[in-house]
């Protein structure tokens, strides 16, 4: 290995780390607010990438049928809760299950966007509502269950969503048109415009999330819910809506990641699983609680994966996931253990 190869591998590691960092932020956000280790986070990545590929070939993304079915089921569940005398917050329900799906339908079937910007908006409109709809259908009824039960449900949901991805998109992989075709040669180091788009978008999203949590009332409410759900509820914060919003943000981040990486690598229906797992490793480094440590862990995972692909390409996945063992060992001996609340 010479210095030029090392720089190329480091660049790939930064690009991959930026994607894993966004995934880690989404996982930490969802776990902090809802105690759900959201294994299907990677499915949003695959859905978004494959939906973008379908739009660019002039097809209607078949995932729209899944969105409409989830919206109908959510309305049915909320209507049943209302009939049983449970107080239902209809405004957010109508936003997630009616307004946003209608916007997605209007963009995909009505406008049929041909520009990359319009296609990006259509994909975001398709994927973002899936987050709160998944939460309402699968996790909100189990809001008071233990973390272990929520994890089992999360794994089952991942298998179901991966199977639906195969059903809707098939087993063939797809790539999309790069957002930037630019290429530069910096001292012998090739730099592509798409890699800069990935890194720049990741930085912008991280800054926006920081401002959202630090400056906005809604962001502060999410932080309060993450710190103490009971206390937040006593202060009048609707914790159920906090779950909706955290899953919506997770779906948004997953969709952005899918759109960003689709021009770089071929995406299959199950590609998101590995991406999500590597984001999970980064999140574990941050203890599923610290955003800065999760970002640092993502860069570490990206660099480790990149250099492992050069030294031992056949074992790069093993090397990356083995990283979680010393991290868990260190946390097990330095973290105060508490039992789940009854």
């Amino acid at each position: 290995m010479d210095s030029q190869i090392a720089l190329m591998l480091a660049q790939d590691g930064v690009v991959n780390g930026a994607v894993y960092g966004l995934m880690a932020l989404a996982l930490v956000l969802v776990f902090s607010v809802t105690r759900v280790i959201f294994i299907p986070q990677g499915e949003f990545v695959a859905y978004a990438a494959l939906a973008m590929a379908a739009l660019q070939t002039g097809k209607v993304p078949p995932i729209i049928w899944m969105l409409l079915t989830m919206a109908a089921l959510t309305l049915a569940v909320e209507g049943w809760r209302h009939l049983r005398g449970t107080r239902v917050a209809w405004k957010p329900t109508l936003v997630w299950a009616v307004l946003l799906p209608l916007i997605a339908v209007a963009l995909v079937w009505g406008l049929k966007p041909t520009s990359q910007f319009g296609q990006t908006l259509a994909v975001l409109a398709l994927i973002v509502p899936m987050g709160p709809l998944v939460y309402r259908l699968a996790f909100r009824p189990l809001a008071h269950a233990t973390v272990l039960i929520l994890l089992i449900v999360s794994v089952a949901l991942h298998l179901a969503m991966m199977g639906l991805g195969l059903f809707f998109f098939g087993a063939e992989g797809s790539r999309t048109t790069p957002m930037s075709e630019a290429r530069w040669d910096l001292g012998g180091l090739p730099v592509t415009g798409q890699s800069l788009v990935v890194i720049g978008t990741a930085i912008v999203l991280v800054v926006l999330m920081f401002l959202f949590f630090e400056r906005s009332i809604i962001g502060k409410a999410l932080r309060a819910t993450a710190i103490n759900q009971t206390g937040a509820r006593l202060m009048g914060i609707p914790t159920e809506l906090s779950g909706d919003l955290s899953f919506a943000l997770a779906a948004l981040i997953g969709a952005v990641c899918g759109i960003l990486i689709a021009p770089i690598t071929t995406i299959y229906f199950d590609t998101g699983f590995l991406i999500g797992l590597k984001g999970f490793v980064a999140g574990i480094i941050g203890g599923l609680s610290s955003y800065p440590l999760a970002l640092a862990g993502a860069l570490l995972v990206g660099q480790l994966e990149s250099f492992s692909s050069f030294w031992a390409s056949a074992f790069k996945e093993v090397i990356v996931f083995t990283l979680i063992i010393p991290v868990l060992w260190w946390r097990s001996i330095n973290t105060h253990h508490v039992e789940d609340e009854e």
Side-chain angles (χ1 to χ4, degrees):
M1 177 186 293
D2 55 24
S3 59
Q4 185 176 4
I5 293 176
L7 287 174
M8 292 176 63
L9 292 174
Q11 178 190 229
D12 289 341
V14 171
V15 173
N16 293 337
V19 175
Y20 301 151
L22 292 177
M23 298 295 286
L25 290 181
L27 290 169
V28 171
L29 170 62
V30 169
F31 181 77
S32 298
V33 176
T34 64
R35 300 181 304 119
V36 173
I37 301 175
F38 193 50
I39 305 297
Q41 177 66 31
E43 268 57 64
F44 292 141
V45 177
Y47 286 179
L50 295 172
M52 188 72 171
L55 286 172
Q56 290 186 353
T57 57
K59 300 176 182 177
V60 173
I63 203 71
I64 193 171
W65 297 110
M66 178 177 172
L67 173 62
L68 294 177
T69 301
M70 292 171 64
L73 287 174
T74 299
L75 289 175
V77 169
E78 296 298 335
W80 180 72
R81 293 178 67 221
H82 178 74
L83 291 176
R84 293 193 60 184
T86 304
R87 183 175 177 272
V88 175
W90 282 109
K91 286 185 179 180
T93 300
L94 294 177
V95 169
W96 302 125
V98 177
L99 178 61
L100 292 182
L102 286 179
I103 291 175
V105 169
L107 287 173
V108 172
W109 273 329
L111 296 180
K112 297 179 180 178
T114 55
S115 67
Q116 197 164 44
F117 178 74
Q119 291 167 349
T120 300
L121 290 180
V123 170
L124 293 179
L126 281 171
I127 303 301
V128 171
M130 288 188 181
L133 294 179
V134 164
Y135 170 70
R136 285 171 175 253
L137 291 173
F139 294 108
R140 193 177 66 178
L142 302 172
H144 302 291
T146 64
V147 174
L148 178 59
I149 291 177
L150 293 174
L151 176 59
I152 293 172
V153 173
S154 187
V155 172
L157 184 62
H158 154 68
L159 295 174
M161 292 181 71
M162 189 166 63
L164 288 171
L166 175 61
F167 174 76
F168 285 116
F169 295 107
E172 297 296 323
S174 299
R175 281 199 184 201
T176 60
T177 304
M179 296 181 180
S180 173
E181 299 279 2
R183 292 181 179 273
W184 299 277
D185 193 325
L186 304 179
L189 176 66
V191 178
T192 64
Q194 184 64 31
S195 64
L196 295 182
V197 169
V198 173
I199 296 171
T201 304
I203 293 174
V204 169
L205 277 179
V206 169
V207 172
L208 289 177
M209 286 189 66
F210 173 79
L211 294 176
F212 173 73
F213 285 113
E214 291 293 328
R215 302 295 176 84
S216 70
I217 297 298
I218 298 176
K220 291 178 180 179
L222 280 179
R223 289 176 58 194
T225 304
I227 293 171
N228 189 317
Q229 285 197 13
T230 302
R233 194 179 300 112
L234 292 175
M235 294 299 295
I237 297 173
T239 54
E240 286 188 352
L241 299 185
S242 298
D244 285 349
L245 188 55
S246 65
F247 270 79
L249 289 173
L252 172 64
I253 293 172
V256 170
C257 288
I259 294 170
L260 290 176
I261 67 171
I264 298 176
T265 183
T266 303
I267 303 295
Y268 298 88
F269 73 95
D270 58 349
T271 301
F273 179 56
L274 277 180
I275 298 173
L277 276 184
K278 290 168 186 175
F280 175 71
V281 173
I284 288 294
I285 293 175
L288 288 178
S289 60
S290 171
Y291 295 104
L293 282 180
L295 288 173
L299 290 176
L300 174 61
V301 170
Q303 295 296 329
L304 185 61
E305 178 188 31
S306 181
F307 281 90
S308 297
S309 66
F310 179 84
W311 292 110
S313 60
F315 299 100
K316 68 173 185 176
E317 309 293 357
V318 175
I319 294 172
V320 169
F321 294 126
T322 301
L323 178 64
I324 202 172
I325 297 176
V327 173
L328 290 177
W329 174 79
W330 173 257
R331 290 198 170 276
S332 69
I333 63 176
N334 287 278
T335 303
H336 176 64
H337 295 273
V338 295
E339 298 293 331
D340 285 340
E341 294 182 3
E342 296 295 334

